Amino acid sequence: MNDCYYCDERAAIFKALGNSVRLMILSEIAKGNSSLCELVDIIKRDKSTISRHLKILREMNLIEIKSSSNRVEYAISMDCIGNYFLCANDVMDRRIDMKIKLNDIIKKEAKMAEKLPEKFAKWHGIDRTKIPWYPVVDVDKCIGCKLCFVSCGRGVYDFDMEENKAVVAHKYQCLVGCSTCATICPVGAISFPERSMIQKVEKEEKVLVRIQEKAKKKKAEIDMEKVRKEAMDKLSKTKTSVKYEVVGHVFESALMKSIRDAIKDCKVDLVDISVESPSLKGCWDQKAPSLTKFTVVSTEMEDISQCIEKIDKIIKKAGMVLISKE
Ligand code: SF4
Ligand code: SF4
């Protein structure tokens, strides 16, 4: 005797039980309808059919012949056979439960599909759920690398950690025409419908007409952005104030006077002027080099580049050293 022996034996018993007519026969015998005639009458099968099934049940010792005065009657051979029915009922209940749960999931998914986030709800004005463009994962091929799950930027995928498989959780969030995930899947587990399906939708829904207005708007936005960028560039190159730091004989060269004379016609002003002598001696001896700081500012918030050019020349001519200019 070994496990296999039991399995074969059990399989033979379940095979005998695995027939709806034989189950009906067992059920009727258990109720007390135990003769061939009664069974034929109730189960509505001909005599030979019922006899054949009775023979199979007898061979498996599921029923036995009961002695009776002048007719053949059958009886369930062991009470425990009734448990088979109870067990089958439990399994049935469970299956029904699972079916209900499955239906709930399907309904939930359908609801979720209906409640597409606003930004995914339409494709060029067409209800997105009317366009069957979305990925399908072949779970037998999927190796669970998660590349599609991580790469899709529209939240189409979820990932089943227990099964180690990618799951298409929000199919209508897929961008119509995109097939990136199928391209990058290392084992070709993702498929999409034929592209001709999209072309058909484009034709039927007059997508090319619909998008003209959008295209016009987009072009205007691009042009506007270009103009804005150019204006910003120009503005960034425009100088309205420049701060100088120079070292040299500021008094001897009469630098500040020369600058003032040169800019008298420009719309600028000199502000924050300071002269720093490096030593006490320098304070008394005006021939010592000093650090001179001043800022040239536009009085009209205009570009002062031309004025700055003049000042640069004067600084150079005066023999001053330009330390910084910003
Ligand atoms: S990219 Fe392909 S293999 Fe990787 S998880 Fe997605 S479907 Fe599976
Ligand atoms: S095709 Fe593009 S948008 Fe659609 S699921 Fe794949 S990566 Fe996401």
Side-chain angles (χ1 to χ4, degrees), residues 137-138 141-149 157 159 164-166 181 184-190:
V137 174
D138 182 338
K141 283 188 187 170
C142 174
I143 54 169
C145 73
K146 306 185 186 74
L147 194 54
C148 55
F149 173 57
Y157 287 96
F159 196 82
N164 196 35
K165 303 283 176 193
C181 49
I184 60 175
C185 174
V187 290
I190 301 172

Coordinates of all heavy atoms in Angstrom, one line a residue, residues 137-138 141-149 157 159 164-166 181 184-190, ligand 1:
V137 N -1.4 42.4 -20.3 CA -0.2 41.7 -19.9 C -0.5 40.1 -19.9 O -1.5 39.6 -19.4 CB 0.1 42.0 -18.4 CG1 1.3 41.2 -17.9 CG2 0.5 43.5 -18.3
D138 N 0.4 39.5 -20.6 CA 0.4 38.0 -20.7 C 1.1 37.5 -19.4 O 2.3 37.5 -19.3 CB 1.1 37.5 -21.9 CG 1.0 36.0 -22.1 OD1 0.8 35.3 -21.0 OD2 1.2 35.5 -23.2
K141 N 3.9 35.1 -19.5 CA 5.2 35.5 -20.0 C 5.9 36.5 -19.0 O 7.1 36.6 -18.9 CB 5.1 36.3 -21.3 CG 4.9 35.4 -22.5 CD 4.9 36.3 -23.8 CE 4.6 35.5 -25.0 NZ 4.4 36.4 -26.1
C142 N 5.1 37.2 -18.2 CA 5.6 38.3 -17.3 C 6.5 37.7 -16.3 O 6.2 36.7 -15.6 CB 4.4 39.0 -16.6 SG 5.0 40.2 -15.4
I143 N 7.7 38.3 -16.2 CA 8.7 37.8 -15.2 C 8.8 38.7 -14.0 O 9.7 38.5 -13.2 CB 10.1 37.7 -15.9 CG1 10.5 39.0 -16.5 CG2 10.2 36.6 -16.9 CD1 12.0 39.1 -16.9
G144 N 7.9 39.6 -13.9 CA 7.8 40.5 -12.7 C 8.9 41.5 -12.5 O 9.3 41.8 -11.4
C145 N 9.5 42.0 -13.6 CA 10.6 42.9 -13.5 C 10.2 44.3 -13.0 O 11.0 45.1 -12.6 CB 11.4 43.0 -14.9 SG 10.5 44.0 -16.1
K146 N 8.9 44.6 -13.1 CA 8.4 45.9 -12.7 C 8.7 47.1 -13.5 O 8.4 48.2 -13.2 CB 8.7 46.2 -11.2 CG 8.4 45.1 -10.2 CD 8.7 45.5 -8.8 CE 8.6 44.4 -7.8 NZ 9.6 43.4 -7.9
L147 N 9.3 46.9 -14.7 CA 9.7 48.0 -15.5 C 8.5 48.8 -16.0 O 8.5 50.0 -16.0 CB 10.5 47.4 -16.7 CG 11.3 48.4 -17.5 CD1 12.3 49.3 -16.7 CD2 12.1 47.7 -18.6
C148 N 7.5 48.1 -16.4 CA 6.3 48.8 -16.9 C 5.7 49.6 -15.7 O 5.3 50.7 -15.9 CB 5.3 47.8 -17.5 SG 4.9 46.5 -16.3
F149 N 5.6 48.9 -14.6 CA 5.0 49.5 -13.4 C 5.7 50.9 -13.0 O 5.0 51.9 -12.7 CB 5.1 48.5 -12.2 CG 4.6 49.0 -10.9 CD1 3.4 49.6 -10.7 CD2 5.5 49.0 -9.8 CE1 2.9 50.0 -9.5 CE2 5.1 49.4 -8.6 CZ 3.8 50.0 -8.4
Y157 N -0.5 51.0 -14.4 CA -0.1 49.7 -13.8 C -0.2 49.7 -12.3 O 0.1 50.7 -11.6 CB 1.3 49.3 -14.2 CG 1.4 48.9 -15.6 CD1 1.8 49.7 -16.6 CD2 1.1 47.6 -16.0 CE1 1.9 49.3 -17.9 CE2 1.1 47.2 -17.3 CZ 1.5 48.1 -18.3 OH 1.6 47.7 -19.6
F159 N 1.1 46.5 -9.2 CA 1.9 45.4 -9.2 C 1.5 44.4 -8.1 O 1.3 44.8 -7.0 CB 3.4 45.7 -9.0 CG 4.3 44.6 -9.4 CD1 4.6 44.4 -10.7 CD2 4.8 43.7 -8.4 CE1 5.5 43.3 -11.1 CE2 5.6 42.7 -8.8 CZ 5.9 42.5 -10.1
N164 N 3.8 38.3 -8.1 CA 5.0 38.8 -8.8 C 4.7 39.1 -10.3 O 5.4 38.7 -11.2 CB 6.2 37.9 -8.7 CG 7.5 38.6 -9.1 OD1 7.6 39.8 -8.8 ND2 8.4 37.9 -9.7
K165 N 3.5 39.8 -10.5 CA 3.1 40.0 -11.9 C 2.6 41.5 -12.0 O 2.1 42.0 -11.0 CB 1.9 39.2 -12.3 CG 2.2 37.7 -12.2 CD 3.0 37.2 -13.4 CE 3.3 35.7 -13.2 NZ 4.4 35.2 -14.0
A166 N 2.8 42.1 -13.2 CA 2.3 43.4 -13.4 C 0.8 43.3 -13.7 O 0.3 42.3 -14.2 CB 2.9 44.0 -14.7
C181 N 5.4 50.9 -22.9 CA 5.7 49.7 -22.0 C 5.9 48.4 -22.7 O 6.7 47.6 -22.4 CB 4.5 49.6 -20.9 SG 2.9 49.7 -21.7
I184 N 9.4 48.4 -24.0 CA 10.5 48.2 -23.1 C 10.4 46.9 -22.3 O 11.4 46.4 -21.7 CB 10.6 49.4 -22.1 CG1 9.3 49.5 -21.3 CG2 11.0 50.6 -22.8 CD1 9.4 50.6 -20.2
C185 N 9.3 46.2 -22.4 CA 9.1 44.9 -21.6 C 10.2 43.9 -22.1 O 10.2 43.6 -23.3 CB 7.7 44.4 -21.8 SG 7.6 42.7 -21.1
P186 N 11.0 43.4 -21.3 CA 12.1 42.6 -21.7 C 11.7 41.2 -22.3 O 12.5 40.6 -23.0 CB 13.0 42.4 -20.5 CG 12.1 42.7 -19.3 CD 11.1 43.6 -19.8
V187 N 10.5 40.8 -22.0 CA 10.1 39.5 -22.5 C 8.9 39.5 -23.4 O 8.3 38.5 -23.8 CB 9.8 38.5 -21.3 CG1 11.0 38.2 -20.6 CG2 8.7 39.1 -20.4
G188 N 8.5 40.7 -23.8 CA 7.4 40.9 -24.8 C 6.1 40.4 -24.2 O 5.2 39.8 -24.9
A189 N 5.9 40.7 -22.9 CA 4.6 40.2 -22.3 C 3.4 41.2 -22.4 O 2.3 40.8 -22.0 CB 4.9 40.0 -20.8
I190 N 3.7 42.3 -23.0 CA 2.6 43.3 -23.1 C 2.2 43.5 -24.6 O 3.1 43.6 -25.4 CB 3.1 44.7 -22.5 CG1 3.6 44.5 -21.1 CG2 2.1 45.8 -22.6 CD1 4.3 45.7 -20.5
Ligands
SF4_1 S1 7.8 44.9 -18.1 FE1 7.0 43.0 -18.8 S2 8.0 41.4 -17.6 FE2 8.4 43.4 -16.6 S3 6.7 43.5 -15.1 FE3 6.0 44.5 -16.9 S4 4.9 42.9 -18.1 FE4 6.1 41.9 -16.6

